[in-house]
Amino acid sequence: MTIPASEFARRRRQLMRMAGRDAIVIVPAAPERVRNNDAHYPYRQDSDFHYLSGFPEPEAVLALIPGRAQGETILFCREKDPERERWDGARAGHEGAVEQYGFDDAFPIADIDDILPGMIEGRSRVYYHFGRDTEFDLKLIGWVNRVRAMVRQGAKPPHEFVALSHLLHDLRLFKSRAELRTMRRSAQIAAEAHVRAMRTTRPGMNEHEVEAELLHTFRRHGAVASYEPIVGGGANACVLHYRANNAPLRDGDLLLIDAGAEFECYASDITRTFPVNGRFSPEQRALYDIVLAAQAAAIDAVRPGRAYDAYHEAAVRVITRGLIELGLLKGTLDANLRDHAYRRFYMHKTGHWLGLDVHDVGDYRIDGEFRELEPGMVVTVEPGIYVAPDLKGVPARWRGIGIRIEDDVVVTSGDPEVITRDVPSDPDAIEALMAKR
Ligand code: GLY
Ligand code: MN
Ligand code: MN
């Protein structure tokens, strides 16, 4: 584990301090999902549960009970079971949970109905993610009702139910040193995968063959994909969430790859766009240079004290100016910015929070206003230009070109730290790398 057990314990303490002594926090593990019959989807722990526990198993529930004398941090988990473990692999068991993960106490998940209502009793507030998992919502209501049924015997049921996300997701937004170390590693693995893709790509290959090269690098380092990779040649790059990844790559086209690794649950998220044959055409290069300049301007705005949307606005300005210079937009910069004319070519935002989730949690606005960037936040910076193959009023030579460049950037007290630099985005560097194939 890159993140030590002591850090998970610190996060639990922090959350308990924020929740207050009359609260209980309840967080279930992610359920296993059946793909068909006996086959499951790959198991991925719930990010909130992982953040607070580091515990990798399904069928577990974390209860945080600040100030409880017999123990504040409680895990319910599967019991050891040699017969089941022979089929499905080892379990920590409740003793292992205490020893290895540092909970104050642990109980078999089979006993939760008997134990948890007694822990809820006397707590005035319940912090929980309502509406995420209907089955678990109903269980929680059942436990609370068990307490309510005992009111005449003197039981005190909770009377406030609070969304957990406000407290927890603000904690998750600020990455610790250990988290940043893990994210740098995730970024390095993803960068290596993109370099391998550039080295391997040749005209006539299929998009899925390039995808295989990415996955090879992820798995070699014990990572998985943090989302389904987008590997889109030619006009497929203009489909923003292209996922088919099954077309042949043509000489003269660009290839857009949006692929990130997930290492120890932390995501990276990189996009590179490069020529299938290793050389940019003049039109491709002209648009590419605009996107790269937009990204540089945006990255420079990823600084503490800047509003969250400043880096998007910086990218939009450079893209709009560039499209005017190429004649793809007509009129003045101000008029085009005012009318959002760039949206025909650039229809998404310039980034998002990054962390345990690829589109990570945390509010972008506070009281309706974009919040300020602060050290420890991590964002992606991913401007693009997409000239759809059927876009009206655009000369044919520009059509079907889609370009995005995406890097992962840490807000520091000084200059922005780009953690995905190990794969080139400079067009000359890309051509030089591909020339050595
Ligand atoms: N790969 C998803 C994104 O770039 O946001
Ligand atoms: Mn991406
Ligand atoms: Mn992204």
Side-chain angles (χ1 to χ4, degrees):
M1 240 192 312
T2 309
I3 312 250
S6 57
E7 177 159 332
F8 289 99
R10 189 171 75 223
R11 295 170 184 173
R12 294 193 286 268
R13 279 199 303 277
Q14 255 179 314
L15 181 61
M16 286 192 285
R17 202 162 39 238
M18 294 163 89
R21 286 181 78 88
D22 50 349
I24 180 167
V25 179
I26 297 173
V27 189
E32 286 188 288
R33 304 213 185 267
V34 174
R35 185 156 184 255
N36 48 50
N37 303 322
D38 296 331
H40 289 82
Y41 284 102
Y43 186 70
R44 165 59 157 78
Q45 188 54 277
D46 176 82
S47 292
D48 286 331
F49 182 88
H50 172 76
Y51 182 81
L52 293 169
S53 71
F55 191 73
E57 297 180 25
E59 296 185 75
V61 175
L62 176 67
L64 302 180
I65 316 167
R68 180 173 174 270
Q70 313 92 303
E72 298 181 299
T73 65
I74 312 293
L75 188 78
F76 295 90
C77 64
R78 302 178 303 188
E79 282 188 275
K80 298 230 30 109
D81 178 343
E83 174 63 15
R84 286 308 324 163
E85 291 181 53
R86 179 184 292 281
W87 289 86
D88 296 327
R91 302 173 171 188
H94 52 276
E95 285 171 14
V98 171
E99 280 163 24
Q100 297 164 43
Y101 296 90
F103 301 106
D104 293 334
D105 211 347
F107 300 97
I109 188 76
D111 297 343
I112 194 168
D113 289 341
D114 298 327
I115 298 173
L116 193 54
M119 294 176 168
I120 293 173
E121 197 280 323
R123 298 274 150 179
S124 57
R125 253 169 306 126
V126 179
Y127 285 89
Y128 169 70
H129 286 307
F130 298 95
R132 237 196 221 185
D133 174 348
T134 313
E135 210 174 302
F136 200 88
D137 288 354
L138 292 174
K139 281 189 196 166
L140 180 62
I141 291 167
W143 296 323
V144 172
N145 282 341
R146 292 263 295 274
V147 183
R148 286 178 177 150
M150 306 282 286
V151 166
R152 271 192 261 163
Q153 285 94 311
K156 291 201 284 298
H159 50 80
E160 250 189 285
F161 297 85
V162 190
L164 177 57
S165 51
H166 296 306
L167 302 185
L168 182 53
H169 293 174
D170 214 57
L171 281 181
R172 278 180 53 188
L173 183 54
F174 296 89
K175 276 66 179 177
S176 68
R177 292 156 74 104
E179 285 183 293
L180 291 175
R181 258 201 315 276
T182 312
M183 291 188 72
R184 286 189 199 102
R185 181 75 190 121
S186 178
Q188 242 173 21
I189 294 168
E192 184 183 320
H194 279 262
V195 168
R196 186 179 169 100
M198 287 177 186
R199 289 221 164 98
T200 315
T201 296
R202 281 172 183 70
M205 276 175 81
N206 193 288
E207 291 165 352
H208 63 66
E209 293 177 81
V210 181
E211 180 181 3
E213 301 298 329
L214 300 162
L215 299 178
H216 173 94
T217 302
F218 294 165
R219 293 305 295 140
R220 222 167 69 77
H221 294 295
V224 295
S226 54
Y227 50 89
E228 282 185 76
I230 296 171
V231 184
N236 291 338
C238 298
V239 180
L240 294 176
H241 292 162
Y242 179 71
R243 272 185 296 256
N245 297 359
N246 61 0
L249 296 171
R250 292 188 320 204
D251 200 343
D253 277 352
L254 292 177
L255 174 59
L256 182 152
I257 298 179
D258 184 343
E262 179 180 288
F263 179 72
E264 297 190 352
C265 287
Y266 283 84
S268 46
D269 185 5
I270 299 181
T271 306
R272 288 292 183 268
T273 310
F274 58 89
V276 168
N277 65 13
R279 303 283 299 176
F280 286 90
S281 75
E283 287 79 13
Q284 291 165 352
R285 177 72 187 244
L287 292 175
Y288 191 95
D289 286 343
I290 297 172
V291 177
L292 192 62
Q295 200 211 24
I299 290 173
D300 195 55
V302 178
R303 293 176 184 276
R306 301 296 303 270
Y308 173 78
D309 66 333
Y311 78 91
H312 175 62
E313 296 305 329
V316 160
R317 178 168 277 273
V318 175
I319 286 173
T320 304
R321 193 188 301 128
L323 291 172
I324 292 170
E325 280 168 12
L326 292 183
L328 291 168
L329 288 175
K330 308 271 184 274
T332 64
L333 178 62
D334 285 345
N336 275 288
L337 288 172
R338 188 191 59 228
D339 300 342
H340 306 294
Y342 59 87
R343 285 188 187 161
R344 294 177 72 211
F345 301 93
Y346 181 39
M347 53 296 282
H348 59 77
K349 290 284 181 178
T350 305
H352 47 82
W353 306 130
L354 184 71
L356 288 170
D357 299 331
V358 69
H359 288 190
D360 206 32
V361 294
D363 291 329
Y364 290 97
R365 292 170 190 261
I366 295 175
D367 296 331
E369 299 290 323
F370 281 110
R371 74 189 300 159
E372 285 182 6
L373 295 177
E374 295 175 60
M377 295 172 166
V378 184
V379 298
T380 67
V381 182
E382 47 178 308
I385 294 179
Y386 314 91
V387 190
D390 54 356
L391 194 66
K392 301 267 185 316
V394 173
R397 63 195 175 103
W398 301 106
R399 287 197 215 124
I401 299 179
I403 295 165
R404 176 165 65 256
I405 306 170
E406 175 173 28
D407 283 284
D408 302 344
V409 183
V410 180
V411 185
T412 77
S413 56
D415 291 335
E417 180 192 350
V418 180
I419 59 176
T420 40
R421 282 206 193 281
D422 290 353
V423 52
S425 54
D426 177 85
D428 295 327
I430 289 175
E431 287 188 347
L433 188 152
M434 294 186 75
K436 281 193 260 152
R437 289 175 304 171

